[in-house]
Amino acid sequence: MAAEPVMVALAAVCVGGLLGVLLGRYAGLRAYRRPAVLSPSAPGIAVPVHAMQEPEIGERLEMALEATGAAVWDADLVAGTCWWSDTFPRMLGHRTRPAMPPDFWERRLHPDDRDRVLAHIASHLAGETSAYAYSYRLRHEGGGWVWIAAKGRAIRDETGRAVRYAGIMTDITEARRQEERLRASEERLLKIMEAAPIAVNVTTRDGRWLFCNAQSARLLGRDRAELMRTPVTELYADSADRKALIARFDDEGAFRNAEIRFRRPDGSVVWVLSSWNSIELDGESALLTWLYDITDRKAAESAMIQAREEAEQALADLREAQESLIQAETMASLGQLVAGVAHEINTPIGIGLTAASHIGEQAQILRDRFAGNALRRSEFLDFLEGLNESSRLLMANIDRAASLVQSFKQVAVDQSSGDRRVFELGSYVGELLFSLRPRLKRTNLAVVVECDDELTMDSFPGALGQVLTNLVINAVVHAYGDGDRQSDRMAEKPAGTIRISAQPDGAERVRIDFIDDGVGIAPEHLSKVFDPFFTTKRGQGGSGLGLHIVFNTVTGPLGGTVSVQSWPGQGTRFTLLLPREAPVMQPVAAEEPALG
């Protein structure tokens, strides 16, 4: 579009040159049919007349004018006459040559162009310029205006006086329309770029500014004049970033959304998404870049990362605290077991001590009588009989104490060491319940075990013992309300039955059902029973970790699953599905408990 006015101007120059040669060569041969007087208001502008032309020159001139669509004039300033080509009235919309009075041309001048054009012509005729070229508007016969590009020069005598001048006119209306459309388009594009929320920049590879919009100035914290004076490389927070971007552009061509930092004059850093392409501006190859501000997003990402790190640290601290509480709960359970067993052992040990003391006292009496020769046969026989009875009583209670110690030792070692071994499930459950007798003696609960004596497991008996212990204590406290009555020793103790059933579940698994006939679990609490720190006995000694330990232990080292079903007022069933051979390694993540 921009090339068309140039082509028109070149055509005008060529035709003007041709016209000058033709008119100069044959000036003496022209005879004007109708002379015209120069317009007094426009010196040198003549009224059109019909001139007699040498046919050959006229034909050549006519062909040139028809080929270019231009019009020419030739004015004799001395004679006051002028000749117009036939293409001039056609340029103004006339199909035939109209009458052309003295003010024909001047009357058609646009009011806004009149003074400028007439002053331009007068200046040239006065010798102030060597040639003239100007554009103006003439009224078209059909209405509207025609843009004319005029070019010519005056011919002077030996004294320098203008005696003749000629020129060419070209219709440039369409070119002007295209220029206006292009200018309007450029203005719209400029307005769009100025209003855009994205910074648009055109720079050279060496860092010179060719263009930037208002958003660039706002984004980089400078006014536009200052920004255009600042080398581009000085704007980067790290000057190596621009070198890397240029290298990437040379390697990949146009690219989008590279995250880059710029530094503002106040020292603050702004993050942008930078997109690159190439452009040619005013004949110069340049780089076109778009910058989109993502500072807020990067700040939010940084805050999110920090919050996540803080949350992860808090979670790690919470897990550490939870592990400590679980360990404390486990040790407290073991401590209760120790206290109960110690109390239970006191009875046979006390009886044994009494029997041994009695034997010692009787032996001393017997020795004294023997020394005084007062020992009778009947007294000696009574001593032997008492000695026999005391020995029997002593042996029985020592055996009972030994059994308690052995049972406690096995359970305690299993729970504290976590060693894996092969064991018979039924006998191990029996040993575990025997160690829990001191706790169960304070209740009227009956514990029934149903398990095949030949059912064995290769697993972690200590972990299984911890699970069953927690289930028993949980039932005593929650299912039968023992925790609510511990302070009232005179109250009637709760009565009920706990049933532990173990049976094979296929060839590789064992199913253990722990069933009580207590008060059951409220429906709104059923989904929370395995959650850490959830308890309905808050403030009454409940930590909320008993069943959570059950869940973690079953799904962890034992490698199984645990589910719960409950019927308010009728009881609760915990079902453990355990592999007969525990996994070598613990699962990374525990499964969610299944609720019945």
PDB file of all heavy atoms in Angstrom, residues 189-202 209-225 227-228 288-291:
ATOM      1  N   LEU A 189      -3.934   0.282  15.669  1.00  0.00           N
ATOM      2  CA  LEU A 189      -2.979  -0.680  16.204  1.00  0.00           C
ATOM      3  C   LEU A 189      -2.188  -0.056  17.357  1.00  0.00           C
ATOM      4  O   LEU A 189      -1.951  -0.695  18.393  1.00  0.00           O
ATOM      5  CB  LEU A 189      -2.023  -1.143  15.109  1.00  0.00           C
ATOM      6  CG  LEU A 189      -0.940  -2.155  15.529  1.00  0.00           C
ATOM      7  CD1 LEU A 189      -1.573  -3.416  16.098  1.00  0.00           C
ATOM      8  CD2 LEU A 189      -0.029  -2.488  14.356  1.00  0.00           C
ATOM      9  N   LEU A 190      -1.802   1.217  17.183  1.00  0.00           N
ATOM     10  CA  LEU A 190      -1.049   1.896  18.236  1.00  0.00           C
ATOM     11  C   LEU A 190      -1.902   2.048  19.492  1.00  0.00           C
ATOM     12  O   LEU A 190      -1.427   1.842  20.610  1.00  0.00           O
ATOM     13  CB  LEU A 190      -0.575   3.263  17.746  1.00  0.00           C
ATOM     14  CG  LEU A 190       0.294   4.056  18.727  1.00  0.00           C
ATOM     15  CD1 LEU A 190       1.550   3.282  19.075  1.00  0.00           C
ATOM     16  CD2 LEU A 190       0.638   5.425  18.152  1.00  0.00           C
ATOM     17  N   LYS A 191      -3.187   2.398  19.313  1.00  0.00           N
ATOM     18  CA  LYS A 191      -4.077   2.528  20.464  1.00  0.00           C
ATOM     19  C   LYS A 191      -4.252   1.189  21.177  1.00  0.00           C
ATOM     20  O   LYS A 191      -4.277   1.119  22.404  1.00  0.00           O
ATOM     21  CB  LYS A 191      -5.436   3.069  20.019  1.00  0.00           C
ATOM     22  CG  LYS A 191      -5.412   4.529  19.601  1.00  0.00           C
ATOM     23  CD  LYS A 191      -6.797   4.999  19.164  1.00  0.00           C
ATOM     24  CE  LYS A 191      -6.769   6.461  18.750  1.00  0.00           C
ATOM     25  NZ  LYS A 191      -8.113   6.914  18.279  1.00  0.00           N
ATOM     26  N   ILE A 192      -4.382   0.122  20.365  1.00  0.00           N
ATOM     27  CA  ILE A 192      -4.531  -1.215  20.960  1.00  0.00           C
ATOM     28  C   ILE A 192      -3.283  -1.574  21.758  1.00  0.00           C
ATOM     29  O   ILE A 192      -3.364  -2.069  22.889  1.00  0.00           O
ATOM     30  CB  ILE A 192      -4.794  -2.259  19.858  1.00  0.00           C
ATOM     31  CG1 ILE A 192      -6.192  -2.035  19.242  1.00  0.00           C
ATOM     32  CG2 ILE A 192      -4.684  -3.678  20.418  1.00  0.00           C
ATOM     33  CD1 ILE A 192      -6.473  -2.901  18.041  1.00  0.00           C
ATOM     34  N   MET A 193      -2.112  -1.320  21.172  1.00  0.00           N
ATOM     35  CA  MET A 193      -0.869  -1.649  21.872  1.00  0.00           C
ATOM     36  C   MET A 193      -0.690  -0.792  23.117  1.00  0.00           C
ATOM     37  O   MET A 193      -0.190  -1.255  24.136  1.00  0.00           O
ATOM     38  CB  MET A 193       0.326  -1.475  20.927  1.00  0.00           C
ATOM     39  CG  MET A 193       0.402  -2.549  19.843  1.00  0.00           C
ATOM     40  SD  MET A 193       1.982  -2.544  18.970  1.00  0.00           S
ATOM     41  CE  MET A 193       1.955  -0.933  18.210  1.00  0.00           C
ATOM     42  N   GLU A 194      -1.124   0.482  23.033  1.00  0.00           N
ATOM     43  CA  GLU A 194      -1.004   1.351  24.202  1.00  0.00           C
ATOM     44  C   GLU A 194      -1.930   0.897  25.326  1.00  0.00           C
ATOM     45  O   GLU A 194      -1.601   1.020  26.505  1.00  0.00           O
ATOM     46  CB  GLU A 194      -1.324   2.796  23.809  1.00  0.00           C
ATOM     47  CG  GLU A 194      -0.237   3.472  22.999  1.00  0.00           C
ATOM     48  CD  GLU A 194       1.062   3.591  23.767  1.00  0.00           C
ATOM     49  OE1 GLU A 194       1.036   4.067  24.910  1.00  0.00           O
ATOM     50  OE2 GLU A 194       2.099   3.169  23.229  1.00  0.00           O
ATOM     51  N   ALA A 195      -3.112   0.388  24.951  1.00  0.00           N
ATOM     52  CA  ALA A 195      -4.077  -0.036  25.969  1.00  0.00           C
ATOM     53  C   ALA A 195      -3.862  -1.479  26.426  1.00  0.00           C
ATOM     54  O   ALA A 195      -4.486  -1.923  27.387  1.00  0.00           O
ATOM     55  CB  ALA A 195      -5.498   0.113  25.430  1.00  0.00           C
ATOM     56  N   ALA A 196      -2.984  -2.207  25.734  1.00  0.00           N
ATOM     57  CA  ALA A 196      -2.791  -3.627  26.053  1.00  0.00           C
ATOM     58  C   ALA A 196      -2.179  -3.796  27.439  1.00  0.00           C
ATOM     59  O   ALA A 196      -1.308  -3.020  27.846  1.00  0.00           O
ATOM     60  CB  ALA A 196      -1.891  -4.282  25.008  1.00  0.00           C
ATOM     61  N   PRO A 197      -2.611  -4.831  28.176  1.00  0.00           N
ATOM     62  CA  PRO A 197      -2.013  -5.110  29.487  1.00  0.00           C
ATOM     63  C   PRO A 197      -0.675  -5.833  29.377  1.00  0.00           C
ATOM     64  O   PRO A 197      -0.052  -6.143  30.387  1.00  0.00           O
ATOM     65  CB  PRO A 197      -3.062  -6.006  30.150  1.00  0.00           C
ATOM     66  CG  PRO A 197      -3.721  -6.712  29.016  1.00  0.00           C
ATOM     67  CD  PRO A 197      -3.742  -5.729  27.877  1.00  0.00           C
ATOM     68  N   ILE A 198      -0.251  -6.128  28.159  1.00  0.00           N
ATOM     69  CA  ILE A 198       1.022  -6.817  27.926  1.00  0.00           C
ATOM     70  C   ILE A 198       2.018  -5.813  27.363  1.00  0.00           C
ATOM     71  O   ILE A 198       1.692  -5.024  26.481  1.00  0.00           O
ATOM     72  CB  ILE A 198       0.835  -7.990  26.944  1.00  0.00           C
ATOM     73  CG1 ILE A 198      -0.134  -9.014  27.529  1.00  0.00           C
ATOM     74  CG2 ILE A 198       2.160  -8.642  26.600  1.00  0.00           C
ATOM     75  CD1 ILE A 198      -0.423 -10.179  26.613  1.00  0.00           C
ATOM     76  N   ALA A 199       3.229  -5.819  27.874  1.00  0.00           N
ATOM     77  CA  ALA A 199       4.271  -4.930  27.377  1.00  0.00           C
ATOM     78  C   ALA A 199       4.724  -5.400  25.997  1.00  0.00           C
ATOM     79  O   ALA A 199       5.017  -6.584  25.797  1.00  0.00           O
ATOM     80  CB  ALA A 199       5.454  -4.906  28.346  1.00  0.00           C
ATOM     81  N   VAL A 200       4.760  -4.456  25.025  1.00  0.00           N
ATOM     82  CA  VAL A 200       5.193  -4.759  23.658  1.00  0.00           C
ATOM     83  C   VAL A 200       6.418  -3.906  23.363  1.00  0.00           C
ATOM     84  O   VAL A 200       6.386  -2.669  23.518  1.00  0.00           O
ATOM     85  CB  VAL A 200       4.079  -4.458  22.638  1.00  0.00           C
ATOM     86  CG1 VAL A 200       4.545  -4.833  21.236  1.00  0.00           C
ATOM     87  CG2 VAL A 200       2.807  -5.218  22.993  1.00  0.00           C
ATOM     88  N   ASN A 201       7.501  -4.553  22.938  1.00  0.00           N
ATOM     89  CA  ASN A 201       8.760  -3.848  22.724  1.00  0.00           C
ATOM     90  C   ASN A 201       9.378  -4.264  21.393  1.00  0.00           C
ATOM     91  O   ASN A 201       9.243  -5.415  20.963  1.00  0.00           O
ATOM     92  CB  ASN A 201       9.762  -4.153  23.842  1.00  0.00           C
ATOM     93  CG  ASN A 201       9.182  -3.904  25.219  1.00  0.00           C
ATOM     94  OD1 ASN A 201       8.657  -2.842  25.494  1.00  0.00           O
ATOM     95  ND2 ASN A 201       9.264  -4.906  26.081  1.00  0.00           N
ATOM     96  N   VAL A 202      10.062  -3.313  20.760  1.00  0.00           N
ATOM     97  CA  VAL A 202      10.866  -3.604  19.576  1.00  0.00           C
ATOM     98  C   VAL A 202      12.264  -3.077  19.866  1.00  0.00           C
ATOM     99  O   VAL A 202      12.444  -1.871  20.131  1.00  0.00           O
ATOM    100  CB  VAL A 202      10.288  -2.944  18.312  1.00  0.00           C
ATOM    101  CG1 VAL A 202      11.147  -3.300  17.105  1.00  0.00           C
ATOM    102  CG2 VAL A 202       8.852  -3.399  18.076  1.00  0.00           C
ATOM    103  N   TRP A 209      16.537   0.603  21.806  1.00  0.00           N
ATOM    104  CA  TRP A 209      15.080   0.627  21.750  1.00  0.00           C
ATOM    105  C   TRP A 209      14.614   1.251  20.437  1.00  0.00           C
ATOM    106  O   TRP A 209      15.118   2.296  20.025  1.00  0.00           O
ATOM    107  CB  TRP A 209      14.510   1.448  22.909  1.00  0.00           C
ATOM    108  CG  TRP A 209      14.570   0.763  24.226  1.00  0.00           C
ATOM    109  CD1 TRP A 209      15.559   0.861  25.154  1.00  0.00           C
ATOM    110  CD2 TRP A 209      13.594  -0.139  24.777  1.00  0.00           C
ATOM    111  NE1 TRP A 209      15.278   0.084  26.247  1.00  0.00           N
ATOM    112  CE2 TRP A 209      14.069  -0.544  26.038  1.00  0.00           C
ATOM    113  CE3 TRP A 209      12.381  -0.632  24.326  1.00  0.00           C
ATOM    114  CZ2 TRP A 209      13.378  -1.413  26.861  1.00  0.00           C
ATOM    115  CZ3 TRP A 209      11.685  -1.499  25.129  1.00  0.00           C
ATOM    116  CH2 TRP A 209      12.173  -1.892  26.369  1.00  0.00           C
ATOM    117  N   LEU A 210      13.640   0.613  19.805  1.00  0.00           N
ATOM    118  CA  LEU A 210      12.973   1.194  18.646  1.00  0.00           C
ATOM    119  C   LEU A 210      11.527   1.544  18.954  1.00  0.00           C
ATOM    120  O   LEU A 210      10.968   2.472  18.358  1.00  0.00           O
ATOM    121  CB  LEU A 210      13.032   0.221  17.455  1.00  0.00           C
ATOM    122  CG  LEU A 210      14.440  -0.187  16.989  1.00  0.00           C
ATOM    123  CD1 LEU A 210      14.337  -1.147  15.808  1.00  0.00           C
ATOM    124  CD2 LEU A 210      15.262   1.040  16.624  1.00  0.00           C
ATOM    125  N   PHE A 211      10.919   0.807  19.875  1.00  0.00           N
ATOM    126  CA  PHE A 211       9.530   1.084  20.254  1.00  0.00           C
ATOM    127  C   PHE A 211       9.236   0.400  21.586  1.00  0.00           C
ATOM    128  O   PHE A 211       9.781  -0.663  21.896  1.00  0.00           O
ATOM    129  CB  PHE A 211       8.550   0.567  19.193  1.00  0.00           C
ATOM    130  CG  PHE A 211       7.111   0.624  19.623  1.00  0.00           C
ATOM    131  CD1 PHE A 211       6.392   1.802  19.537  1.00  0.00           C
ATOM    132  CD2 PHE A 211       6.478  -0.502  20.149  1.00  0.00           C
ATOM    133  CE1 PHE A 211       5.076   1.859  19.954  1.00  0.00           C
ATOM    134  CE2 PHE A 211       5.160  -0.441  20.569  1.00  0.00           C
ATOM    135  CZ  PHE A 211       4.458   0.750  20.475  1.00  0.00           C
ATOM    136  N   CYS A 212       8.376   1.024  22.372  1.00  0.00           N
ATOM    137  CA  CYS A 212       7.810   0.377  23.552  1.00  0.00           C
ATOM    138  C   CYS A 212       6.452   1.003  23.820  1.00  0.00           C
ATOM    139  O   CYS A 212       6.223   2.170  23.498  1.00  0.00           O
ATOM    140  CB  CYS A 212       8.730   0.520  24.769  1.00  0.00           C
ATOM    141  SG  CYS A 212       8.821   2.183  25.445  1.00  0.00           S
ATOM    142  N   ASN A 213       5.540   0.247  24.389  1.00  0.00           N
ATOM    143  CA  ASN A 213       4.220   0.795  24.697  1.00  0.00           C
ATOM    144  C   ASN A 213       4.170   1.237  26.157  1.00  0.00           C
ATOM    145  O   ASN A 213       5.137   1.097  26.911  1.00  0.00           O
ATOM    146  CB  ASN A 213       3.111  -0.211  24.369  1.00  0.00           C
ATOM    147  CG  ASN A 213       3.145  -1.436  25.269  1.00  0.00           C
ATOM    148  OD1 ASN A 213       4.116  -1.656  25.990  1.00  0.00           O
ATOM    149  ND2 ASN A 213       2.094  -2.236  25.225  1.00  0.00           N
ATOM    150  N   ALA A 214       3.005   1.770  26.551  1.00  0.00           N
ATOM    151  CA  ALA A 214       2.872   2.326  27.895  1.00  0.00           C
ATOM    152  C   ALA A 214       3.048   1.262  28.973  1.00  0.00           C
ATOM    153  O   ALA A 214       3.593   1.530  30.042  1.00  0.00           O
ATOM    154  CB  ALA A 214       1.508   3.004  28.039  1.00  0.00           C
ATOM    155  N   GLN A 215       2.590   0.029  28.696  1.00  0.00           N
ATOM    156  CA  GLN A 215       2.707  -1.028  29.696  1.00  0.00           C
ATOM    157  C   GLN A 215       4.155  -1.376  29.979  1.00  0.00           C
ATOM    158  O   GLN A 215       4.512  -1.750  31.105  1.00  0.00           O
ATOM    159  CB  GLN A 215       1.938  -2.273  29.227  1.00  0.00           C
ATOM    160  CG  GLN A 215       2.013  -3.465  30.167  1.00  0.00           C
ATOM    161  CD  GLN A 215       1.407  -3.183  31.530  1.00  0.00           C
ATOM    162  OE1 GLN A 215       0.714  -2.185  31.714  1.00  0.00           O
ATOM    163  NE2 GLN A 215       1.647  -4.055  32.495  1.00  0.00           N
ATOM    164  N   SER A 216       5.023  -1.233  28.976  1.00  0.00           N
ATOM    165  CA  SER A 216       6.445  -1.490  29.201  1.00  0.00           C
ATOM    166  C   SER A 216       6.999  -0.530  30.235  1.00  0.00           C
ATOM    167  O   SER A 216       7.752  -0.927  31.135  1.00  0.00           O
ATOM    168  CB  SER A 216       7.216  -1.347  27.887  1.00  0.00           C
ATOM    169  OG  SER A 216       6.880  -2.371  26.984  1.00  0.00           O
ATOM    170  N   ALA A 217       6.626   0.771  30.082  1.00  0.00           N
ATOM    171  CA  ALA A 217       7.103   1.762  31.042  1.00  0.00           C
ATOM    172  C   ALA A 217       6.589   1.464  32.444  1.00  0.00           C
ATOM    173  O   ALA A 217       7.329   1.538  33.427  1.00  0.00           O
ATOM    174  CB  ALA A 217       6.669   3.159  30.591  1.00  0.00           C
ATOM    175  N   ARG A 218       5.286   1.089  32.551  1.00  0.00           N
ATOM    176  CA  ARG A 218       4.726   0.768  33.866  1.00  0.00           C
ATOM    177  C   ARG A 218       5.375  -0.485  34.445  1.00  0.00           C
ATOM    178  O   ARG A 218       5.700  -0.543  35.635  1.00  0.00           O
ATOM    179  CB  ARG A 218       3.213   0.574  33.756  1.00  0.00           C
ATOM    180  CG  ARG A 218       2.444   1.850  33.505  1.00  0.00           C
ATOM    181  CD  ARG A 218       0.954   1.628  33.692  1.00  0.00           C
ATOM    182  NE  ARG A 218       0.399   0.734  32.689  1.00  0.00           N
ATOM    183  CZ  ARG A 218      -0.127   1.138  31.546  1.00  0.00           C
ATOM    184  NH1 ARG A 218      -0.173   2.446  31.263  1.00  0.00           N
ATOM    185  NH2 ARG A 218      -0.611   0.276  30.690  1.00  0.00           N
ATOM    186  N   LEU A 219       5.561  -1.478  33.611  1.00  0.00           N
ATOM    187  CA  LEU A 219       6.100  -2.750  34.079  1.00  0.00           C
ATOM    188  C   LEU A 219       7.526  -2.599  34.603  1.00  0.00           C
ATOM    189  O   LEU A 219       7.891  -3.174  35.637  1.00  0.00           O
ATOM    190  CB  LEU A 219       6.067  -3.775  32.939  1.00  0.00           C
ATOM    191  CG  LEU A 219       6.590  -5.178  33.241  1.00  0.00           C
ATOM    192  CD1 LEU A 219       5.679  -5.871  34.237  1.00  0.00           C
ATOM    193  CD2 LEU A 219       6.697  -5.999  31.976  1.00  0.00           C
ATOM    194  N   LEU A 220       8.341  -1.797  33.888  1.00  0.00           N
ATOM    195  CA  LEU A 220       9.751  -1.679  34.235  1.00  0.00           C
ATOM    196  C   LEU A 220      10.026  -0.484  35.140  1.00  0.00           C
ATOM    197  O   LEU A 220      11.191  -0.205  35.455  1.00  0.00           O
ATOM    198  CB  LEU A 220      10.590  -1.586  32.959  1.00  0.00           C
ATOM    199  CG  LEU A 220      10.476  -2.815  32.043  1.00  0.00           C
ATOM    200  CD1 LEU A 220      11.229  -2.602  30.748  1.00  0.00           C
ATOM    201  CD2 LEU A 220      10.978  -4.066  32.745  1.00  0.00           C
ATOM    202  N   GLY A 221       8.978   0.226  35.558  1.00  0.00           N
ATOM    203  CA  GLY A 221       9.129   1.273  36.564  1.00  0.00           C
ATOM    204  C   GLY A 221       9.835   2.524  36.091  1.00  0.00           C
ATOM    205  O   GLY A 221      10.481   3.213  36.894  1.00  0.00           O
ATOM    206  N   ARG A 222       9.745   2.856  34.808  1.00  0.00           N
ATOM    207  CA  ARG A 222      10.367   4.060  34.256  1.00  0.00           C
ATOM    208  C   ARG A 222       9.374   4.770  33.352  1.00  0.00           C
ATOM    209  O   ARG A 222       8.475   4.131  32.818  1.00  0.00           O
ATOM    210  CB  ARG A 222      11.624   3.708  33.442  1.00  0.00           C
ATOM    211  CG  ARG A 222      12.761   3.117  34.262  1.00  0.00           C
ATOM    212  CD  ARG A 222      13.828   2.568  33.342  1.00  0.00           C
ATOM    213  NE  ARG A 222      15.062   2.225  34.035  1.00  0.00           N
ATOM    214  CZ  ARG A 222      15.290   1.102  34.678  1.00  0.00           C
ATOM    215  NH1 ARG A 222      14.341   0.190  34.743  1.00  0.00           N
ATOM    216  NH2 ARG A 222      16.440   0.878  35.283  1.00  0.00           N
ATOM    217  N   ASP A 223       9.578   6.103  33.182  1.00  0.00           N
ATOM    218  CA  ASP A 223       8.768   6.759  32.156  1.00  0.00           C
ATOM    219  C   ASP A 223       9.327   6.376  30.791  1.00  0.00           C
ATOM    220  O   ASP A 223      10.461   5.899  30.660  1.00  0.00           O
ATOM    221  CB  ASP A 223       8.738   8.281  32.354  1.00  0.00           C
ATOM    222  CG  ASP A 223      10.120   8.913  32.280  1.00  0.00           C
ATOM    223  OD1 ASP A 223      10.843   8.663  31.297  1.00  0.00           O
ATOM    224  OD2 ASP A 223      10.480   9.649  33.212  1.00  0.00           O
ATOM    225  N   ARG A 224       8.526   6.606  29.766  1.00  0.00           N
ATOM    226  CA  ARG A 224       8.900   6.080  28.456  1.00  0.00           C
ATOM    227  C   ARG A 224      10.196   6.700  27.940  1.00  0.00           C
ATOM    228  O   ARG A 224      11.039   5.995  27.357  1.00  0.00           O
ATOM    229  CB  ARG A 224       7.766   6.318  27.457  1.00  0.00           C
ATOM    230  CG  ARG A 224       7.997   5.633  26.123  1.00  0.00           C
ATOM    231  CD  ARG A 224       6.822   5.758  25.198  1.00  0.00           C
ATOM    232  NE  ARG A 224       5.610   5.247  25.798  1.00  0.00           N
ATOM    233  CZ  ARG A 224       4.478   5.039  25.133  1.00  0.00           C
ATOM    234  NH1 ARG A 224       4.405   5.299  23.846  1.00  0.00           N
ATOM    235  NH2 ARG A 224       3.408   4.590  25.741  1.00  0.00           N
ATOM    236  N   ALA A 225      10.377   7.999  28.119  1.00  0.00           N
ATOM    237  CA  ALA A 225      11.598   8.641  27.620  1.00  0.00           C
ATOM    238  C   ALA A 225      12.832   8.048  28.292  1.00  0.00           C
ATOM    239  O   ALA A 225      13.839   7.757  27.634  1.00  0.00           O
ATOM    240  CB  ALA A 225      11.515  10.148  27.863  1.00  0.00           C
ATOM    241  N   LEU A 227      13.033   5.082  29.690  1.00  0.00           N
ATOM    242  CA  LEU A 227      13.164   3.688  29.274  1.00  0.00           C
ATOM    243  C   LEU A 227      13.832   3.583  27.906  1.00  0.00           C
ATOM    244  O   LEU A 227      14.696   2.735  27.687  1.00  0.00           O
ATOM    245  CB  LEU A 227      11.788   3.017  29.248  1.00  0.00           C
ATOM    246  CG  LEU A 227      11.759   1.535  28.881  1.00  0.00           C
ATOM    247  CD1 LEU A 227      12.563   0.724  29.879  1.00  0.00           C
ATOM    248  CD2 LEU A 227      10.321   1.026  28.836  1.00  0.00           C
ATOM    249  N   MET A 228      13.450   4.471  26.970  1.00  0.00           N
ATOM    250  CA  MET A 228      14.011   4.410  25.622  1.00  0.00           C
ATOM    251  C   MET A 228      15.496   4.776  25.620  1.00  0.00           C
ATOM    252  O   MET A 228      16.218   4.408  24.690  1.00  0.00           O
ATOM    253  CB  MET A 228      13.245   5.354  24.696  1.00  0.00           C
ATOM    254  CG  MET A 228      11.789   4.973  24.468  1.00  0.00           C
ATOM    255  SD  MET A 228      11.580   3.504  23.453  1.00  0.00           S
ATOM    256  CE  MET A 228      11.968   4.148  21.834  1.00  0.00           C
ATOM    257  N   LEU A 288      11.057  -8.442  18.257  1.00  0.00           N
ATOM    258  CA  LEU A 288       9.750  -8.096  18.825  1.00  0.00           C
ATOM    259  C   LEU A 288       9.532  -8.971  20.058  1.00  0.00           C
ATOM    260  O   LEU A 288       9.574 -10.196  19.975  1.00  0.00           O
ATOM    261  CB  LEU A 288       8.643  -8.335  17.800  1.00  0.00           C
ATOM    262  CG  LEU A 288       7.208  -8.172  18.287  1.00  0.00           C
ATOM    263  CD1 LEU A 288       6.940  -6.736  18.723  1.00  0.00           C
ATOM    264  CD2 LEU A 288       6.218  -8.593  17.199  1.00  0.00           C
ATOM    265  N   THR A 289       9.320  -8.332  21.210  1.00  0.00           N
ATOM    266  CA  THR A 289       9.141  -9.093  22.451  1.00  0.00           C
ATOM    267  C   THR A 289       7.862  -8.666  23.150  1.00  0.00           C
ATOM    268  O   THR A 289       7.473  -7.498  23.106  1.00  0.00           O
ATOM    269  CB  THR A 289      10.332  -8.885  23.408  1.00  0.00           C
ATOM    270  OG1 THR A 289      10.442  -7.490  23.740  1.00  0.00           O
ATOM    271  CG2 THR A 289      11.626  -9.362  22.768  1.00  0.00           C
ATOM    272  N   TRP A 290       7.214  -9.645  23.791  1.00  0.00           N
ATOM    273  CA  TRP A 290       6.042  -9.393  24.625  1.00  0.00           C
ATOM    274  C   TRP A 290       6.413  -9.795  26.052  1.00  0.00           C
ATOM    275  O   TRP A 290       7.009 -10.860  26.279  1.00  0.00           O
ATOM    276  CB  TRP A 290       4.842 -10.220  24.183  1.00  0.00           C
ATOM    277  CG  TRP A 290       4.354  -9.926  22.802  1.00  0.00           C
ATOM    278  CD1 TRP A 290       3.396  -9.031  22.423  1.00  0.00           C
ATOM    279  CD2 TRP A 290       4.785 -10.577  21.590  1.00  0.00           C
ATOM    280  NE1 TRP A 290       3.220  -9.060  21.067  1.00  0.00           N
ATOM    281  CE2 TRP A 290       4.055 -10.003  20.515  1.00  0.00           C
ATOM    282  CE3 TRP A 290       5.733 -11.557  21.302  1.00  0.00           C
ATOM    283  CZ2 TRP A 290       4.230 -10.395  19.204  1.00  0.00           C
ATOM    284  CZ3 TRP A 290       5.911 -11.942  19.992  1.00  0.00           C
ATOM    285  CH2 TRP A 290       5.160 -11.367  18.962  1.00  0.00           C
ATOM    286  N   LEU A 291       6.033  -8.965  26.996  1.00  0.00           N
ATOM    287  CA  LEU A 291       6.305  -9.243  28.405  1.00  0.00           C
ATOM    288  C   LEU A 291       4.992  -9.234  29.176  1.00  0.00           C
ATOM    289  O   LEU A 291       4.254  -8.246  29.138  1.00  0.00           O
ATOM    290  CB  LEU A 291       7.254  -8.188  29.002  1.00  0.00           C
ATOM    291  CG  LEU A 291       8.581  -7.970  28.269  1.00  0.00           C
ATOM    292  CD1 LEU A 291       9.368  -6.864  28.946  1.00  0.00           C
ATOM    293  CD2 LEU A 291       9.393  -9.252  28.215  1.00  0.00           C
TER     294      LEU A 291
END
